[in-house]
Amino acid sequence: MATTFADLGLSDPILRAISDAGYETPTPIQEKAIPYVLMNRDILGCAQTGTGKTASFTLPMIDILSQGRSRARMPRTVILEPTRELAAQVADNFETYGKYNKLNMALLIGGVSFADQEAKLNRGVDVLIATPGRLMDHCERGKVILTDTKVLVIDEADRMLDMGFIPDVEKIVSLMPPLRQTLMFSATMPPEIRRLAAKFLSNPKEITVSPPASTADTITQSVIRVDGRQKRRTLFRLLKDDTITNGLVFCNRKRDVATLYRALEEAGFSTGALHGDMDQYKRLEWLDRFKKNEITILVCSDVAARGLDIPSVSHVFNYDVPTHAEDYVHRIGRTGRAGRKGVSITLASDAESKYLGFIEKLIGKKIPVTDNTDAKEAPVETDDTGVEASNAEDTKPPRKSRSKRTDKAPRENKAPRENEAPRQDAKTREESRGRGGRKSGGRDRDSYYDVNDDPLPDIKDTPFGQTEQVPAFLLRR
């Protein structure tokens, strides 16, 4: 018989909220982690994205927080997230599952007014969800006191490591009491994460529900080999498929996100953009519109690849092959979530083959390669000169032949135009330029010597009347 949420020891208010959300049975990570969290054990959890990690710590934390009360500027629990979007998503989870519990929550992320956040902190919060940088800012201002923290959650620890947040995390942990419960979750478990776990956790229960860096079996993966100059055309063709309900398109660079977004918009696609340099309100607006299906295509950088819970993404397109193999796992983990089917398509040029090899080594299997039918069947677009459009700017016109004239009479000297000085012969031009035969602003080698190539006498001893022995560049000044 399948395990239910009631079998995990959760309270009735939480079970009602779970039922209202439409969930009936826990995922493997939830089934294994929730009982140990309720037992106040430290947890080191490793699970691929899309397996329900967020609920595995939010559900028991709501139960733990149902008893007791918070004090001003002293949060009872702290959840650290690497990105603003992921922090906002965790806040949504607390609102969903904690609606029958009277808990106060504060979200500390960049791009939002300090005054509004400080007002919530002064009223006292049970749950503090934050990115490391913004939490450090509040701590340095004296607006947050962490000496009463009972539970600490470090989510997406491997992403924290990649983004350089570990020094901030270590500083934050040093401000907390040593007797606390710490939960660390990560999609991958490199040696660096294990060293951090040994530093932050006390006798943790290690929970692994799938091999590290594995991809979900519900995702159909494929690679399309394509010339780098044909990527945009191939993507446009793929996006016209009627089976695509909605999709995420990932680029490696933020500027490419903006460029591709504009191109898709001009082509008539319902699209939005998401990258790290955007205003926070604009980022949240695009995410909300995508979740509500007001737009169907969201062009993203890797800021959106980790932990975003958008349940029904049908397709993920890797417009660029990620340079870090782990990012591939997180990108395609946005589809095929909670048992649903998903499709992942990667456009790979020859220059990106080595990154593709790293990915296949990490996930332990070959990704099927699909022919690029667009490149074979689609007519080649040309510009007005007949040059292929995608390569027009890189193509130069052929050089004209420089063969000697053999069939025409020799040219005659043309008469000078009106107001034009007569042409000089070679000897006259040579004499007008001076010795050396070239124009060099008066700094020719010969300009520093007299007629006989003897060194010039000291300028101080030379009478100004003897101009033939004065360097040419002095005369021009």
Side-chain angles (χ1 to χ4, degrees):
M1 184 176 178
T3 304
T4 64
F5 283 103
D7 298 331
L8 303 180
L10 297 171
S11 62
D12 290 338
I14 296 178
L15 294 176
R16 277 198 295 157
I18 294 172
S19 179
D20 292 346
Y23 297 108
E24 297 179 357
T25 58
T27 63
I29 185 67
Q30 294 167 2
E31 182 179 349
K32 294 182 178 182
I34 289 176
Y36 286 102
V37 178
L38 292 174
M39 293 166 55
N40 296 321
R41 285 284 304 273
D42 285 6
I43 299 291
L44 177 60
C46 181
Q48 64 192 35
T49 58
T51 55
K53 281 187 300 180
T54 304
S56 69
F57 61 81
T58 56
L59 293 176
M61 283 177 65
I62 293 172
D63 241 350
I64 293 172
L65 294 170
S66 61
Q67 298 178 356
R69 57 179 299 178
S70 60
R71 290 184 286 177
R73 295 187 293 172
M74 300 180 70
R76 298 165 63 195
T77 62
V78 174
I79 301 174
L80 297 178
E81 299 289 345
T83 65
R84 304 172 184 178
E85 288 75 21
L86 190 50
Q89 176 190 305
V90 174
D92 291 339
N93 271 259
F94 268 99
E95 291 181 354
T96 300
Y97 300 127
K99 63 180 181 179
Y100 297 116
N101 297 81
K102 296 180 179 179
L103 299 177
N104 296 322
M105 178 185 62
L107 179 62
L108 304 186
I109 57 177
V112 181
S113 167
F114 273 95
D116 295 341
Q117 295 174 351
E118 291 172 2
K120 290 186 178 181
L121 293 171
N122 290 334
R123 291 194 296 266
V125 294
D126 299 291
V127 182
L128 180 60
I129 306 166
T131 52
R134 179 50 67 99
L135 180 55
M136 281 298 301
D137 289 342
H138 281 279
C139 289
E140 291 171 355
R141 292 167 176 244
K143 302 300 181 180
V144 177
I145 301 172
L146 301 176
T147 55
D148 196 37
T149 302
K150 302 293 191 299
V151 182
L152 167 66
V153 178
I154 303 173
D155 196 15
E156 298 286 353
D158 53 345
R159 185 61 169 173
M160 295 273 197
L161 183 69
D162 294 341
M163 298 177 71
F165 287 147
I166 295 304
D168 285 343
V169 173
E170 292 177 335
K171 178 64 175 177
I172 290 169
V173 172
S174 70
L175 301 175
M176 295 181 177
L179 296 178
R180 64 177 187 277
Q181 183 181 10
T182 304
L183 315 175
M184 180 183 287
F185 292 89
S186 179
T188 58
M189 200 60 64
E192 295 85 353
I193 296 300
R194 292 199 173 274
R195 285 195 289 269
L196 290 174
K199 186 175 183 180
F200 295 153
L201 307 180
S202 174
N203 188 27
K205 173 64 179 177
E206 186 169 341
I207 298 174
T208 302
V209 297
S210 61
S214 63
T215 55
D217 295 332
T218 55
I219 304 173
T220 302
Q221 304 176 56
S222 65
V223 171
I224 296 180
R225 292 285 186 177
V226 60
D227 188 292
R229 297 166 297 182
Q230 299 286 341
K231 274 193 175 185
R232 186 177 298 179
R233 182 198 297 176
T234 303
L235 178 65
F236 284 12
R237 174 181 62 83
L238 294 171
L239 292 178
K240 293 177 182 178
D241 191 341
D242 294 335
T243 63
I244 298 177
T245 305
N246 55 9
L248 299 174
V249 180
F250 285 101
C251 300
N252 287 348
R253 296 181 296 184
K254 291 177 284 189
R255 67 178 183 182
D256 292 338
V257 171
T259 302
L260 185 58
Y261 158 68
R262 288 192 297 268
L264 287 169
E265 189 177 41
E266 292 174 0
F269 291 97
S270 174
T271 183
L274 187 67
H275 59 77
D277 285 348
M278 294 178 64
D279 178 79
Q280 178 63 18
Y281 291 104
K282 190 64 177 177
R283 290 162 69 174
L284 294 177
E285 178 188 350
W286 280 127
L287 272 177
D288 187 57
R289 292 185 62 188
F290 186 75
K291 290 179 180 180
K292 293 179 180 178
N293 291 322
E294 294 178 6
I295 58 174
T296 56
I297 303 298
L298 191 61
V299 187
C300 313
S301 63
D302 282 307
V303 71
R306 299 258 183 154
L308 291 184
D309 187 13
I310 308 172
S312 57
V313 176
S314 66
H315 287 67
V316 167
F317 298 93
N318 289 306
Y319 188 75
D320 298 317
V321 179
T323 54
H324 298 287
E326 293 84 358
D327 289 335
Y328 176 83
V329 178
H330 296 290
R331 285 183 182 185
I332 72 170
R334 300 309 99 212
T335 187
R337 300 173 72 84
R340 298 181 178 88
K341 298 292 184 180
V343 177
S344 166
I345 300 175
T346 301
L347 306 181
S349 64
D350 291 340
E352 297 171 307
S353 295
K354 63 176 182 179
Y355 302 125
L356 197 60
F358 297 153
I359 292 169
E360 292 177 336
K361 182 178 179 180
L362 178 69
I363 65 178
K365 63 180 180 181
K366 288 284 185 180
I367 304 175
V369 178
T370 305
D371 291 334
N372 183 14
T373 56
D374 179 64
K376 294 181 178 181
E377 300 175 1
V380 177
E381 299 177 3
T382 58
D383 57 14
D384 295 337
T385 64
V387 179
E388 184 178 347
S390 61
N391 197 27
E393 60 183 14
D394 300 327
T395 306
K396 297 181 179 179
R399 298 179 62 181
K400 294 182 179 180
S401 174
R402 303 185 64 179
S403 59
K404 295 182 179 179
R405 294 161 53 98
T406 58
D407 56 338
K408 295 184 180 180
R411 294 178 178 175
E412 298 179 359
N413 291 333
K414 296 181 180 180
R417 297 178 182 176
E418 187 178 357
N419 299 327
E420 180 182 16
R423 296 172 61 88
Q424 298 174 329
D425 57 21
K427 183 177 180 180
T428 306
R429 288 197 301 270
E430 186 75 13
E431 292 176 354
S432 66
R433 293 183 181 183
R435 296 182 183 90
R438 56 188 175 91
K439 295 180 180 179
S440 60
R443 295 180 184 269
D444 290 339
R445 179 182 62 83
D446 294 339
S447 300
Y448 291 86
Y449 295 89
D450 63 6
V451 177
N452 298 318
D453 281 344
D454 294 325
L456 288 175
D458 193 340
I459 295 175
K460 295 180 181 179
D461 300 329
T462 302
F464 285 101
Q466 301 177 8
T467 56
E468 67 278 358
Q469 292 186 344
V470 177
F473 73 91
L474 290 177
L475 297 178
R476 291 191 177 95
R477 289 186 176 178

